[in-house]
Amino acid sequence: MSIFIDRNTRVLVQGITGSEGSFWTKHMIDLGTQVICGVTPAKEGQTIHDIPVYHSVERALRNHVVDASMIFVPPKLTKDAVFEALANGIKKIVTMADGIPLFDMVAIRHAALEHNALVIGGNTSGVISPEEAMMGSFPYWIQRVYKRGNIGVMTRSGSLTNEVTAMIVKRGYGVSTLIGVGGDPVPATRFSEMLPYYQQDEQTEAVVIIGELGGTMEEEVADAMEKGIFTKPLVAFLGGRTAPKGQKMGHAGAIITGGKGAVEDKIEALTKAGALVADRPSNVGILLEQLNVSKK
Amino acid sequence: MSIFIDRNTRVLVQGITGSEGSFWTKHMIDLGTQVICGVTPAKEGQTIHDIPVYHSVERALRNHVVDASMIFVPPKLTKDAVFEALANGIKKIVTMADGIPLFDMVAIRHAALEHNALVIGGNTSGVISPEEAMMGSFPYWIQRVYKRGNIGVMTRSGSLTNEVTAMIVKRGYGVSTLIGVGGDPVPATRFSEMLPYYQQDEQTEAVVIIGELGGTMEEEVADAMEKGIFTKPLVAFLGGRTAPKGQKMGHAGAIITGGKGAVEDKIEALTKAGALVADRPSNVGILLEQLNVSKK
Amino acid sequence: MKLFEYQVKDLFNTAGIAIPKSQLIHRVDQASEAFVQIGFPCVIKSQVLSGGRGKAGLIQFVKNEGKGMEEVTRLFALPQKISSLLIEEAVDIAHEVYASFTIDPLSGSALSIVSAAGGVDIETLAIEQPHKILQTKIDMNLGLQAYQANHIAYECGFDPETAKKFTQLLLKLYRLFVQYDCELLEINPLFITKSNELVAGDGKCSIDDNSMFRHEDISIPLGDIENEAERLAAEEGIPFIQFDGDISLMCAGAGLTTTVYDLVHYEGGTIANYLEFGGPHYKKAMKAMEICLKVPSKVILIVTFGTIARADVMAQGIVEAISKLKPDRPIVTCIRGTNEVEAVETLRKAGLNPLFDTEEAVRLAVALAKETKI
Amino acid sequence: MKLFEYQVKDLFNTAGIAIPKSQLIHRVDQASEAFVQIGFPCVIKSQVLSGGRGKAGLIQFVKNEGKGMEEVTRLFALPQKISSLLIEEAVDIAHEVYASFTIDPLSGSALSIVSAAGGVDIETLAIEQPHKILQTKIDMNLGLQAYQANHIAYECGFDPETAKKFTQLLLKLYRLFVQYDCELLEINPLFITKSNELVAGDGKCSIDDNSMFRHEDISIPLGDIENEAERLAAEEGIPFIQFDGDISLMCAGAGLTTTVYDLVHYEGGTIANYLEFGGPHYKKAMKAMEICLKVPSKVILIVTFGTIARADVMAQGIVEAISKLKPDRPIVTCIRGTNEVEAVETLRKAGLNPLFDTEEAVRLAVALAKETKI
């Protein structure tokens, strides 16, 4: 069993008629995802890949029972779309856009906590359980990257995720569920909040986290391990060991930490909690082997 | 036993050094209320009637355990004071000021619901259990009005409350606890939300509500009676039977109802639910007698 | 505080909500110029705060200057002294919609009320076809969200073009509602024109009196208030309403006032005016009595039962007012509450006969009013 | 986007937060006039975005015009090409305080950070005496409340007069923080003068890049950017940082870039620049390469592994850029992801030797950089 989504998850797509929304909806369906309806204002009555489109989430829910919403709207409209999904009682949401205003992400995080909902993103490729289902934009057709298996992956990155996952697969492993929490400084859901799901998931034998400098998400993972909330083998890959301090490369979640967030601190915390930390992508698979994680 | 407050309720007073705050704090103490600390920014270190004053609620709570807060600050500062009390975990609050901006009251009502707190007011004289304790500004020394007994009173009015209560007492009854929910269009706590407390209170044998035209608070009381949430005898006095429609007299909570809130509707709902409705203050006591409420 | 239609439309205009072309005139001699500016046909709308202007003949549709001048002259000559008229272009209306924001006191939210069936008789519609009225709660900490406005627009059954415009209009209207601390902000009717534009045909705005300190840019021009007593009260900030009965009320508190109002009617009397003598006004006996004396009443009835509004202070004020203003009509007092014993003494000393029971006071006032009539 | 000190102080000034009297100069010949306006003693502050200005000698306290002119001349002549100096009055300081707002990503709140112990070494203080730093979460749906600011002020131990002023200042600072979508808005130090006034001695402001569309009034004057590559990148909106090593990175994504950065260092290489070639920039190969060529590097290393950023599009762009710009240094590519097969083909056809393994590409780039060095 995968986590977050599987073939039974009924997915609504917000922004389904946009070029990205339409393109990736097709891929989601092709992989086996159950996309059952979509929302784009002004487009009710149309269908996209035979999926009916509605003016609003509330109108869609009059005709469909939905488990999750996949949001493909532009960054400036993302907060509104997430709020719409939350207000309509949807508890699993993935929102992809890169470039969401910081304060909008703060509002989204705040609202997600208030609604007790899992909102994944923004600035992410989403969630994929290879050979099962996905919400997002993964090149699942590249088999040297997206192969089914027993390794749970959580990541803050995009390209780096492909890089690391390719290395895991190269070593003979596969992925159970990969969750991109997103590269924004304020992700709506944090690594440690997804750990209990991986802990419970029978398919997942070990977890790989792909971290970054900045923020405290990796420290929170260490904390969850220390507290016994997560007890499976865990390997972390952390880039940025040699990065110059005080510089922000791209949208790395670095800035907003006030002294915390150096890679050394993260390595120390994770190592202390019993995780193994890889210094380069090609070592991740080797460390999984060291932890005697099976290759099934 | 009274409700909301009694001699064991430890009361903090916000705005204790102001002229009203100081004046009524003295009266609260004289009646037997346990006022244990006060807050006025810039006045920490002072005492008022031997009660220590602090700069902020948080600082006061470092030295005192508090059950309720009595707020005597001006209308423009009321929202801030209520938010301060709520943020510091105080669950019983009385706020008196007349003239609180409407949207501030909306925010207060919203926050009170979120914090699951009882905020009484604004635009009220507060809460009194005669001969026991009070939070507010009642002329408890006028014995023909404020006599202890078995009648719970809830009111939206100020002067009219004195008028009606005097009539109840004249007829040989006394008051268990009188709660002024306040005359603003958006009171922080509504009649029906206090009814369960009166229902539970052993001292209260019957309840008198002093309503007004406008709003739906009286209809909600009728609803609670229909649902069996409140089963004791209830007498309502409602002014405004002959009032011209569409006019707003003073701060009557009339306007914001959209068609609802006529006195006739209230009378009909209450009568249907088994309440007796008095057409003039002097009839309230007579109706209590009709309901066989004892005079103890 | 209720605003005049032209003030509400000014607000709409600054917020980017379209209004018909119009010109405000204060005198008959300004009409021709306005007619030139606006053209015919046009609508002449009396700027008064009371409702039901249409039925009262205070709104006139005119097709030419002759008829226009005739109506302007007639309206300015009415006994109620209308101080301004709005000359407004006639709009090509395809459809009328109702849209407003108010407050939901139960949830502590704002409430959007929209009906695509128009608002001519929104109260009746609310009872008979409630599903045609869309009510949407708005968390005021967050504000109206675009998705909510969008959903409302499509629930109204608008086509996509109209829906987009309506969504934008609703968001603008909400911002105004918040900016001006409105109890009610209403567009009724909102015209959808034949060329598919949204135009605010009429607007109501009631600003929360307790928030007026935040809106010093807004006021009712006192010169526009016809009645002298009303103007005096407005200047002092004393709540006041004039009726056409016999007894002037100077009472404390909305609840006690409406109760006295009822009791007067039970006894067969009629009310000349309501005047709030309680709360922050309890020290204003002189001004309050001056206002009541401007009203053509037969008796002044003063009923209070105050706590912070001290009875002795009110009594003292009344005595001083009587001595200075030398009222031409009887005064009945029923003053109770904090320091009521001192109050009674003060009134007695001044030769008055203070009563202590509201019903007794009402009966006396009604009797005096009838006597005076005979 | 980080603002220059003088820009931040302009914001403070418009928000009603006091700043020292100052004048901005761009050339040596503007200095005398500025000294006349400001008087002596005064402070000459180089307007650069990097930290540690004091330690780098970029801030000078001067007592007379001679010394002042000397410093102005020296600073403008520095190799790093400082484009402006702020000539600022010297303030009579009694006490220094730290105050800032940022974001708490865990709770989804704003965070107020205040220390009455000053902010000279706030990071050290945070570790050694954390109780001296007051952190307060602010629900951004509600905003900073007056009671919170008041509590912070008294927790700082201020006397009532200072506390009232500090409370007001904090409320103003929060409004600015929200108004400008700040990642960080900081006053450090905040001077409490001997006459008990609060004056912002220095300010930092970093505006969320994703919100810049809401702040068209704010920009970094491109003329103030000394470095040509930096200016080109800024014009294109391409994230770019120049270092002083050998290898220009043209990589996609912050995570992959920092990883490549690490791998280069593991292999003994050094980085000439970081340049974001992913996300919205994946079609900008021409401009990206032009920028890299402005940097005195020895190799350009291109590493990507994109999904939406299609490998074939990037490869095609690189081929075109090479053909047009005719780079004077070797280029190593490692382009994977969506349509990677087509990408490899495109690169091969153009005579390049596309690699497919990141570590191999890094080793080759480092080797090439070393060769070129010899």
Side-chain angles (χ1 to χ4, degrees):
Chain A
M1 285 310 305
S2 53
I3 67 173
F4 199 86
I5 42 160
D6 59 29
R7 299 232 158 155
N8 298 316
T9 310
R10 291 158 296 188
V11 177
L12 175 155
V13 174
Q14 291 175 258
I16 194 168
T17 63
S19 63
E20 265 199 59
S22 162
F23 181 80
W24 287 106
T25 296
K26 179 74 167 58
H27 279 304
M28 284 162 56
I29 295 166
D30 287 352
L31 181 61
T33 316
Q34 223 190 110
V35 179
I36 58 165
C37 57
V39 168
T40 301
K43 299 290 167 73
E44 186 163 307
Q46 299 186 8
T47 59
I48 296 279
H49 316 306
D50 293 328
I51 294 158
V53 180
Y54 298 89
H55 289 316
S56 69
V57 173
E58 190 174 333
R59 290 169 74 92
L61 297 192
R62 283 187 196 143
N63 293 317
H64 304 277
V65 175
V66 154
D67 302 306
S69 176
M70 176 69 229
I71 297 178
F72 283 108
V73 308
K76 291 183 201 177
L77 305 181
T78 294
K79 185 181 89 167
D80 192 61
V82 173
F83 276 24
E84 183 174 10
L86 289 172
N88 282 284
I90 299 175
K91 296 291 184 197
K92 284 184 187 175
I93 298 165
V94 175
T95 187
M96 299 200 44
D98 178 9
I100 301 170
L102 175 66
F103 286 8
D104 286 4
M105 278 310 307
V106 172
I108 289 170
R109 166 78 177 159
H110 199 267
L113 290 173
E114 275 189 342
H115 283 82
N116 207 12
L118 281 180
V119 181
I120 305 292
N123 191 9
T124 177
S125 305
V127 179
I128 183 169
S129 297
E131 299 165 41
E132 175 82 18
M134 79 168 176
M135 290 171 68
S137 60
F138 295 93
Y140 61 92
W141 53 84
I142 309 180
Q143 292 194 357
R144 64 185 185 86
V145 186
Y146 293 95
K147 200 187 132 208
R148 187 186 183 110
N150 60 352
I151 309 298
V153 178
M154 282 195 290
T155 177
R156 292 164 71 176
S157 296
S159 308
L160 179 58
T161 306
N162 290 335
E163 176 85 30
V164 174
T165 309
M167 292 296 173
I168 297 173
V169 171
K170 198 175 178 185
R171 205 79 198 175
Y173 289 102
V175 171
S176 58
T177 298
L178 186 158
I179 294 180
V181 302
D184 281 343
V186 182
T189 295
R190 304 174 71 78
F191 281 168
S192 60
E193 292 161 337
M194 293 312 300
L195 276 182
Y197 298 93
Y198 283 109
Q199 175 73 16
Q200 240 187 331
D201 178 41
E202 285 173 20
Q203 187 187 342
T204 300
E205 197 178 319
V207 164
V208 169
I209 63 169
I210 303 168
E212 267 180 33
L213 74 173
T216 57
M217 285 215 293
E218 296 77 10
E219 287 85 341
E220 295 156 29
V221 167
D223 196 48
M225 293 175 73
E226 298 267 16
K227 288 189 174 135
I229 294 164
F230 185 74
T231 59
K232 298 182 179 180
L234 189 137
V235 172
F237 170 74
L238 296 173
R241 289 167 195 244
T242 65
K245 314 224 176 216
Q247 294 287 10
K248 183 167 109 168
M249 304 222 207
H251 283 284
I255 282 291
I256 303 170
T257 49
K260 295 182 213 163
V263 173
E264 309 89 74
D265 302 335
K266 295 175 187 298
I267 294 171
E268 192 189 326
L270 285 164
T271 309
K272 193 160 157 280
L276 297 186
V277 182
D279 64 346
R280 56 185 76 203
S282 56
N283 277 353
V284 172
I286 297 168
L287 295 180
L288 287 170
E289 285 169 352
Q290 277 184 26
L291 289 165
N292 295 314
V293 179
S294 71
K295 294 178 181 178
K296 57 181 176 187
Chain B
M1 283 309 302
S2 53
I3 67 173
F4 200 86
I5 43 160
D6 59 28
R7 299 235 157 151
N8 297 317
T9 310
R10 290 157 297 187
V11 176
L12 175 154
V13 175
Q14 290 176 257
I16 193 168
T17 63
S19 62
E20 265 199 59
S22 162
F23 180 79
W24 288 106
T25 295
K26 178 76 165 60
H27 278 304
M28 284 161 60
I29 295 166
D30 287 351
L31 182 60
T33 317
Q34 224 190 110
V35 178
I36 58 166
C37 57
V39 167
T40 302
K43 300 289 167 74
E44 186 162 308
Q46 298 186 8
T47 58
I48 296 279
H49 316 306
D50 294 328
I51 294 158
V53 180
Y54 298 88
H55 288 318
S56 68
V57 172
E58 190 173 335
R59 291 170 74 92
L61 297 191
R62 283 188 195 140
N63 293 318
H64 304 276
V65 175
V66 154
D67 303 305
S69 177
M70 175 69 230
I71 298 178
F72 282 108
V73 308
K76 291 182 201 177
L77 306 181
T78 293
K79 185 181 88 167
D80 192 61
V82 173
F83 276 24
E84 183 174 12
L86 289 172
N88 281 284
I90 300 176
K91 297 290 184 198
K92 283 184 189 176
I93 297 165
V94 175
T95 188
M96 298 201 42
D98 178 10
I100 301 170
L102 174 66
F103 287 8
D104 286 5
M105 279 311 306
V106 171
I108 289 169
R109 167 77 179 162
H110 199 266
L113 290 173
E114 274 188 343
H115 283 83
N116 208 11
L118 281 180
V119 180
I120 305 292
N123 189 12
T124 177
S125 305
V127 178
I128 184 168
S129 297
E131 298 165 42
E132 175 82 18
M134 80 168 175
M135 290 172 68
S137 61
F138 293 93
Y140 62 90
W141 53 85
I142 308 180
Q143 292 194 357
R144 64 186 185 87
V145 185
Y146 293 95
K147 202 187 131 208
R148 186 186 184 112
N150 59 354
I151 309 297
V153 178
M154 283 196 289
T155 176
R156 294 165 69 175
S157 298
S159 308
L160 179 58
T161 307
N162 290 336
E163 175 87 28
V164 173
T165 310
M167 291 296 172
I168 297 173
V169 171
K170 197 173 178 187
R171 205 79 197 174
Y173 288 102
V175 170
S176 57
T177 298
L178 185 158
I179 295 181
V181 300
D184 282 343
V186 182
T189 295
R190 304 174 70 78
F191 282 168
S192 60
E193 292 160 339
M194 294 311 300
L195 274 183
Y197 298 92
Y198 283 109
Q199 175 75 16
Q200 241 187 332
D201 178 39
E202 285 173 20
Q203 187 187 340
T204 299
E205 197 177 318
V207 164
V208 168
I209 64 168
I210 303 168
E212 266 180 32
L213 75 172
T216 57
M217 285 215 292
E218 296 77 9
E219 286 86 340
E220 294 155 31
V221 167
D223 196 47
M225 293 175 72
E226 298 265 18
K227 288 186 176 137
I229 295 164
F230 186 75
T231 58
K232 298 182 180 181
L234 189 137
V235 172
F237 170 75
L238 296 173
R241 289 167 195 240
T242 65
K245 312 227 176 215
Q247 294 286 10
K248 185 167 106 169
M249 304 221 205
H251 282 285
I255 282 291
I256 304 170
T257 48
K260 295 182 212 163
V263 173
E264 309 87 75
D265 302 335
K266 296 175 187 297
I267 293 172
E268 192 188 329
L270 285 164
T271 308
K272 192 159 157 281
L276 297 187
V277 182
D279 64 346
R280 56 185 75 205
S282 56
N283 277 354
V284 173
I286 297 168
L287 295 180
L288 287 171
E289 286 170 352
Q290 277 182 25
L291 290 164
N292 295 316
V293 179
S294 71
K295 294 179 181 177
K296 55 181 177 189
Chain C
M1 188 179 77
K2 285 187 193 170
L3 302 190
F4 286 110
E5 177 193 7
Y6 74 89
Q7 294 179 301
V8 182
K9 284 188 167 166
D10 279 351
L11 294 185
F12 289 160
N13 190 39
T14 54
I17 295 171
I19 53 172
K21 196 166 71 170
S22 70
Q23 196 151 333
L24 189 71
I25 63 170
H26 295 87
R27 297 186 312 270
V28 175
D29 63 17
Q30 294 170 320
S32 329
E33 171 62 17
F35 287 135
V36 171
Q37 292 298 322
I38 304 302
F40 290 98
C42 69
V43 188
I44 302 170
K45 307 176 87 175
S46 306
Q47 298 301 292
V48 297
L49 293 176
S50 46
R53 288 185 296 170
K55 285 174 192 161
L58 299 180
I59 296 181
Q60 294 294 332
F61 182 87
V62 295
K63 290 188 177 164
N64 55 56
E65 178 151 9
K67 185 69 183 159
M69 287 308 298
E70 188 182 307
E71 283 299 338
V72 166
T73 310
R74 181 183 72 82
L75 290 166
F76 274 128
L78 287 175
Q80 63 203 88
K81 288 188 186 161
I82 291 161
S83 72
S84 59
L85 301 174
L86 196 65
I87 312 295
E88 194 170 84
E89 66 169 325
V91 174
D92 255 357
I93 306 161
H95 191 67
E96 294 192 358
V97 175
Y98 175 92
S100 73
F101 288 98
T102 181
I103 289 294
D104 173 41
L106 267 85
S107 60
S109 311
L111 193 66
S112 146
I113 304 176
V114 170
S115 174
V120 176
D121 245 331
I122 190 93
E123 287 85 0
T124 317
L125 198 68
I127 295 160
E128 292 170 6
Q129 299 184 284
H131 64 280
K132 288 204 171 165
I133 298 177
L134 303 167
Q135 299 199 16
T136 310
K137 280 178 199 163
I138 299 139
D139 182 335
M140 292 192 79
N141 293 335
L142 303 175
L144 177 67
Q145 303 294 306
Y147 79 83
Q148 296 177 304
N150 174 68
H151 177 72
I152 293 167
Y154 285 105
E155 288 293 288
C156 284
F158 295 140
D159 62 86
E161 192 197 327
T162 310
K164 273 176 203 167
K165 287 178 180 169
F166 186 77
T167 297
Q168 290 310 312
L169 177 133
L170 217 52
L171 289 165
K172 287 172 187 168
L173 192 65
Y174 180 77
R175 278 195 289 272
L176 266 188
F177 173 74
V178 171
Q179 187 183 346
Y180 285 96
D181 287 278
C182 299
E183 295 171 327
L184 173 74
L185 182 61
E186 179 181 281
I187 306 181
N188 182 23
L190 172 68
F191 297 140
I192 302 183
T193 67
K194 288 179 180 154
S195 54
N196 216 13
E197 298 302 318
L198 304 191
V199 178
D202 195 358
K204 275 207 186 64
C205 176
S206 173
I207 298 179
D208 170 31
D209 290 327
N210 293 344
S211 308
M212 283 310 297
F213 67 93
R214 292 200 277 247
H215 308 292
E216 284 169 2
D217 54 322
I218 296 272
S219 65
I220 286 293
L222 291 180
D224 282 12
I225 302 176
E226 315 80 44
N227 180 305
E228 198 184 347
E230 277 180 7
R231 192 170 58 247
L232 271 174
E235 278 167 9
E236 281 294 318
I238 298 176
F240 173 89
I241 306 172
Q242 188 165 335
F243 305 105
D244 51 9
D246 296 334
I247 300 173
S248 282
L249 298 188
M250 237 172 96
C251 296
L256 188 54
T257 301
T258 48
T259 301
V260 170
Y261 195 107
D262 284 349
L263 293 172
V264 166
H265 280 86
Y266 295 163
E267 297 295 335
T270 56
I271 305 293
N273 69 271
Y274 147 70
L275 183 147
E276 177 59 61
F277 184 37
H281 310 294
Y282 80 96
K283 292 177 181 168
K284 298 181 185 166
M286 184 73 74
K287 193 53 89 173
M289 196 171 289
E290 190 186 337
I291 294 166
C292 286
L293 290 173
K294 300 278 182 200
V295 176
S297 66
K298 293 179 180 141
V299 182
I300 297 174
L301 171 58
I302 305 174
V303 183
T304 75
F305 208 140
T307 302
I308 292 172
R310 280 163 49 190
D312 56 334
V313 172
M314 295 166 104
Q316 187 58 42
I318 289 163
V319 168
E320 284 165 16
I322 290 176
S323 119
K324 174 142 186 246
L325 300 173
K326 304 199 188 343
D328 57 355
R329 60 203 86 171
I331 290 169
V332 178
T333 68
C334 182
I335 294 178
R336 286 82 37 92
T338 302
N339 296 351
E340 58 189 20
V341 178
E342 293 86 336
V344 165
E345 203 175 323
T346 302
L347 293 169
R348 284 227 174 96
K349 269 190 195 161
L352 286 158
N353 176 29
L355 299 180
F356 218 64
D357 178 276
T358 305
E359 293 191 29
E360 193 186 338
V362 166
R363 277 193 298 271
L364 176 58
V366 172
L368 286 168
K370 285 185 178 158
E371 266 174 39
T372 322
K373 199 178 272 174
I374 298 163
Chain D
M1 187 179 78
K2 283 186 194 172
L3 302 189
F4 286 109
E5 177 192 7
Y6 74 87
Q7 294 179 300
V8 182
K9 284 188 167 166
D10 278 351
L11 293 185
F12 289 161
N13 189 39
T14 53
I17 295 171
I19 54 173
K21 196 166 72 170
S22 70
Q23 198 152 333
L24 189 73
I25 64 169
H26 296 87
R27 298 186 312 271
V28 176
D29 64 17
Q30 295 170 321
S32 328
E33 171 60 19
F35 287 134
V36 170
Q37 292 298 323
I38 304 302
F40 290 99
C42 68
V43 189
I44 303 171
K45 309 177 85 174
S46 307
Q47 298 301 293
V48 297
L49 292 176
S50 46
R53 287 184 299 169
K55 285 174 191 162
L58 299 180
I59 295 181
Q60 295 294 331
F61 181 89
V62 296
K63 291 189 177 162
N64 55 56
E65 177 150 12
K67 186 67 182 159
M69 288 306 299
E70 188 182 303
E71 284 298 339
V72 166
T73 310
R74 182 183 72 82
L75 290 166
F76 272 128
L78 286 175
Q80 64 202 86
K81 288 189 187 161
I82 291 162
S83 73
S84 59
L85 301 174
L86 195 65
I87 312 295
E88 193 170 85
E89 67 170 323
V91 174
D92 255 359
I93 305 161
H95 192 69
E96 293 191 357
V97 174
Y98 174 92
S100 74
F101 288 97
T102 181
I103 289 294
D104 173 41
L106 267 84
S107 60
S109 310
L111 193 65
S112 146
I113 304 176
V114 169
S115 174
V120 176
D121 244 334
I122 190 94
E123 287 86 359
T124 318
L125 197 69
I127 294 158
E128 291 171 6
Q129 299 184 283
H131 64 281
K132 289 204 172 166
I133 298 176
L134 302 166
Q135 298 198 17
T136 310
K137 281 179 199 162
I138 299 140
D139 182 336
M140 293 191 78
N141 292 337
L142 303 175
L144 178 67
Q145 303 295 306
Y147 79 83
Q148 296 178 303
N150 173 68
H151 177 72
I152 292 166
Y154 285 105
E155 288 294 288
C156 284
F158 294 141
D159 61 85
E161 192 196 328
T162 310
K164 275 177 201 166
K165 288 179 180 169
F166 186 78
T167 297
Q168 289 310 312
L169 178 135
L170 217 53
L171 289 165
K172 288 172 186 167
L173 192 66
Y174 180 78
R175 279 194 288 270
L176 265 189
F177 172 76
V178 172
Q179 188 183 347
Y180 285 97
D181 287 279
C182 298
E183 295 170 328
L184 174 73
L185 181 62
E186 180 181 279
I187 305 181
N188 182 26
L190 172 69
F191 297 140
I192 301 183
T193 68
K194 287 180 180 154
S195 55
N196 214 14
E197 298 301 318
L198 304 191
V199 179
D202 195 359
K204 274 205 186 67
C205 177
S206 173
I207 297 180
D208 170 31
D209 289 328
N210 292 344
S211 309
M212 283 309 297
F213 68 91
R214 291 200 278 246
H215 307 291
E216 284 168 2
D217 54 323
I218 296 273
S219 66
I220 287 292
L222 291 179
D224 283 12
I225 302 175
E226 315 80 44
N227 180 303
E228 198 183 346
E230 277 180 7
R231 193 172 55 249
L232 270 174
E235 279 166 10
E236 281 294 318
I238 298 176
F240 173 89
I241 308 171
Q242 188 164 336
F243 306 106
D244 51 8
D246 297 335
I247 301 172
S248 281
L249 298 187
M250 238 173 94
C251 295
L256 187 55
T257 301
T258 50
T259 300
V260 171
Y261 196 109
D262 285 348
L263 293 171
V264 167
H265 279 88
Y266 296 163
E267 298 294 334
T270 56
I271 305 293
N273 68 269
Y274 147 71
L275 183 146
E276 177 60 61
F277 183 37
H281 311 293
Y282 80 96
K283 293 177 180 169
K284 298 181 185 165
M286 184 73 75
K287 195 52 91 174
M289 194 169 291
E290 190 187 339
I291 295 166
C292 286
L293 290 172
K294 301 277 182 204
V295 176
S297 66
K298 292 174 179 146
V299 183
I300 296 175
L301 172 57
I302 305 174
V303 183
T304 73
F305 209 139
T307 302
I308 292 171
R310 280 164 49 190
D312 56 334
V313 173
M314 295 167 103
Q316 187 59 42
I318 289 162
V319 168
E320 285 165 14
I322 289 175
S323 120
K324 173 143 186 241
L325 300 174
K326 303 198 188 347
D328 57 356
R329 60 203 84 169
I331 289 169
V332 177
T333 67
C334 183
I335 294 179
R336 287 83 37 92
T338 302
N339 297 350
E340 59 190 19
V341 178
E342 294 85 337
V344 165
E345 204 176 321
T346 302
L347 293 169
R348 284 226 175 96
K349 270 190 192 159
L352 287 157
N353 176 28
L355 298 180
F356 218 65
D357 178 276
T358 305
E359 292 191 31
E360 194 186 339
V362 165
R363 278 193 298 272
L364 177 58
V366 171
L368 287 168
K370 284 183 181 159
E371 267 174 38
T372 324
K373 201 177 275 175
I374 299 162

